[in-house]
Amino acid sequence: MQTNLYDASVPVFSHYLQQLAHMLAKAAMHAQNDGYAAEKLLNAHLAPDMFNLAQQVGITAGFSLRACYPLAGLAIPNLQDTGSSFAGLQACLSQTQGLLHCLTREQIALAPELPITTQAGQAERQFNRHDYLLHYTLPNFFFHLSMVYAILRHQGVPLSKQDFDGHHAYAPGFSFVA
């Protein structure tokens, strides 16, 4: 059975972009409540050679468009620069959601089965549509989304798996550490 590329892309990216917006809202509130500059959080990274939080958010949003538009046989739209503040990142996510919701099931289903060529770091790669989504863009999207979560947790933002996926539920004060 072939994977329905629309169902495996647009609604998945849309859901997790909503979760990302939720995590950013919690991060902004955390920074405000703890009395430190939002820039400290936005510029935080896990290691010196990794992208910072704001960059990880932008890359996460970008990967959803890099996935879906080529699947529909369309050029990847450019996002307007909304800045790297919490408000700017929320605007970027909103803009991305709007562009995702412009795509229809039919556009993706009826797009020609042509190879998709993309830049992966410094390498050029070519995939069929199925592998492009399942083996390249979804893993990259979730990698960068996970980096956002990890940076925020490392900076003390009180997030849980529930915040990441929107499906889990834990009682207040629950801890995995005994």
Side-chain angles (χ1 to χ4, degrees):
M1 181 169 98
Q2 185 74 351
T3 302
N4 179 305
L5 295 179
Y6 179 90
D7 289 340
S9 61
V10 174
V12 174
F13 290 122
S14 181
H15 172 79
Y16 283 95
L17 288 171
Q18 287 176 327
Q19 293 309 119
L20 177 53
H22 167 74
M23 290 190 291
L24 288 177
K26 284 186 83 167
M29 185 177 295
H30 176 76
Q32 182 180 11
N33 291 344
D34 283 8
Y36 61 86
E39 290 76 31
K40 176 185 174 206
L41 199 50
L42 293 164
N43 290 314
H45 47 80
L46 291 177
D49 63 344
M50 292 181 75
F51 292 120
N52 68 27
L53 176 68
Q55 291 167 310
Q56 296 284 5
V57 171
I59 294 167
T60 303
F63 254 104
S64 67
L65 300 177
R66 280 182 69 183
C68 296
Y69 272 75
L71 290 176
L74 301 170
I76 302 164
N78 292 320
L79 291 169
Q80 294 175 344
D81 184 6
T82 56
S84 58
S85 66
F86 280 114
L89 294 175
Q90 291 287 8
C92 171
L93 295 176
S94 178
Q95 186 183 151
T96 304
Q97 288 277 27
L99 289 166
L100 283 177
H101 290 290
C102 289
L103 296 172
T104 66
R105 181 178 305 278
E106 292 74 26
Q107 284 175 299
I108 291 176
L110 299 175
E113 284 295 334
L114 298 174
I116 297 173
T117 302
T118 190
Q119 199 68 29
Q122 295 176 337
E124 185 174 275
R125 297 286 185 248
Q126 192 172 73
F127 298 93
N128 65 48
R129 293 172 29 160
H130 181 267
D131 289 348
Y132 178 70
L133 176 63
L134 298 180
H135 297 281
Y136 179 69
T137 56
L138 277 170
N140 275 279
F141 174 87
F142 281 109
F143 172 82
H144 292 285
L145 180 62
S146 295
M147 293 305 101
V148 169
Y149 178 86
I151 291 168
L152 292 175
R153 287 289 292 144
H154 186 70
Q155 294 297 312
V157 178
L159 298 175
S160 70
K161 196 170 183 181
Q162 179 178 359
D163 297 303
F164 183 87
D165 71 11
H167 300 295
H168 286 77
Y170 300 102
F174 176 81
S175 175
F176 288 103
V177 180

